Amino acid sequence: MITIGICDDESSVRQHIKELCDGFFAKNSLPYECIEFASGEEFLDYGDDPIDLLFLDVELGGMNGMEVKKIIEQKENVWRIIFVTNYQDVVWDAFGFRTLTFLRKPVNATELEEWLKVALKEMQKNISYGFPIDKGMSYVKLEDIYYFEAAGNYTYLYTKDGKLLVCENLKTCQDKMSGTPILRIHKSYLINMQNVKNWESEQVLLMNDVRFTLGRQYKKEARKIYLEFVKDWTQRRR
């Protein structure tokens, strides 16, 4: 079941979005839960329970939507955000992996349904990968992976839930993750491009604030692949 949050200081806007969501999920015979928040502060007081999709007003009274987004990126309890706004000039300030799109007020039913379909499709793609560990297998969702670190014939896998010692070498892990946003940036490291916070000329910073120096032989190609990834990601959200 998908959990949707609606954070807007106007009750009429929250009700309008909820009615559109009710119609979409009823039409597609899909169960869902909707939770309403009248302010950014109320949303942040909600706790760490996961929300799959958050409709977030940019111009909230008190803490605004941009400030809420920054805290969401640290807490990681929201999977995707759809910003609701009257102003298009905030788009680039709010760009990020968790940002799905922007909808102008009043929210159009057709546009909302299109983006709900995109969100559901991406949820289906976020599959789990199995890694052999000392006692069986451990399954990790793609988006929960931060990076892989070589450890001889083994590999350390760093995820949002902690660190695993995988009974496979780094090359085997790289081959397993072929076709995903997992990228080789150093002879000892693979990173998940989905969780990059900042890419500089010589270094990469991940969402968990771990910083890597790019390997000399990987630097040029890795940057090219990352820029293509960002371009593709942005175009799919237009």
Side-chain angles (χ1 to χ4, degrees):
M1 181 173 70
I2 185 171
T3 300
I4 288 183
I6 305 172
C7 184
D8 197 295
D9 53 2
E10 298 180 63
S11 60
S12 59
V13 174
R14 296 197 305 273
Q15 183 62 29
H16 175 61
I17 294 174
K18 184 179 184 303
E19 289 175 355
L20 295 180
C21 290
D22 286 344
F24 172 83
F25 285 100
K27 181 170 61 177
N28 291 278
S29 301
L30 295 172
Y32 97 107
E33 177 185 17
C34 184
I35 306 170
E36 296 184 38
F37 306 97
S39 68
E41 290 83 355
E42 183 179 337
F43 167 75
L44 295 174
D45 286 340
Y46 173 68
D48 294 328
D49 290 342
I51 289 179
D52 297 300
L53 182 61
L54 177 66
F55 289 91
L56 179 58
D57 183 18
V58 174
E59 304 87 25
L60 289 166
M63 180 178 287
N64 65 41
M66 299 301 103
E67 294 169 321
V68 173
K69 170 184 173 285
K70 290 180 180 178
I71 297 175
I72 286 173
E73 289 176 341
Q74 296 171 356
K75 294 179 63 173
E76 298 183 338
N77 63 321
V78 175
W79 185 69
R80 289 290 183 270
I81 300 171
I82 291 180
F83 280 98
V84 181
T85 179
N86 286 317
Y87 304 99
Q88 287 297 96
D89 57 359
V90 301
V91 167
W92 293 112
D93 292 334
F95 177 78
F97 181 73
R98 299 193 183 280
T99 304
L100 194 62
T101 192
F102 298 80
L103 297 179
R104 293 183 68 92
K105 294 181 179 180
V107 175
N108 176 276
T110 300
E111 288 184 353
L112 181 139
E113 290 196 3
E114 287 177 356
W115 286 105
L116 285 175
K117 291 176 183 177
V118 170
L120 290 172
K121 185 177 180 179
E122 291 194 354
M123 286 180 69
Q124 293 172 353
K125 287 183 178 180
N126 189 28
I127 63 175
S128 295
Y129 289 82
F131 298 94
I133 57 175
D134 184 44
K135 297 180 180 179
M137 295 286 289
S138 180
Y139 293 87
V140 182
K141 285 188 175 182
L142 176 60
E143 284 191 10
D144 290 342
I145 295 173
Y146 284 124
Y147 66 97
F148 298 80
E149 180 183 13
N153 292 325
Y154 296 83
T155 301
Y156 285 114
L157 170 57
Y158 293 82
T159 77
K160 293 178 182 178
D161 294 323
K163 181 172 75 171
L164 296 171
L165 180 61
V166 176
C167 301
E168 294 175 331
N169 63 30
L170 191 66
K171 180 61 167 61
T172 301
C173 291
Q174 182 178 7
D175 291 342
K176 175 182 292 184
M177 305 305 294
S178 176
T180 75
I182 301 300
L183 175 66
R184 189 80 171 250
I185 61 164
H186 188 279
K187 66 179 182 180
S188 298
Y189 297 106
L190 307 170
I191 65 164
N192 187 350
M193 292 187 288
Q194 293 179 336
N195 286 318
V196 169
K197 180 185 289 187
N198 190 31
W199 189 292
E200 301 170 355
S201 60
E202 301 290 336
Q203 295 185 325
V204 175
L205 180 67
L206 297 186
M207 291 295 186
N208 61 345
D209 290 326
V210 175
R211 188 181 297 274
F212 301 90
T213 298
L214 296 165
R216 184 168 54 185
Q217 72 180 93
Y218 299 95
K219 180 169 57 176
K220 183 177 180 180
E221 183 66 16
R223 178 175 176 81
K224 177 183 176 183
I225 293 172
Y226 177 69
L227 291 176
E228 290 174 350
F229 169 78
V230 172
K231 179 181 178 181
D232 178 66
W233 185 261
T234 305
Q235 287 178 339
R236 284 190 288 129
R237 281 161 171 70
R238 287 177 179 173

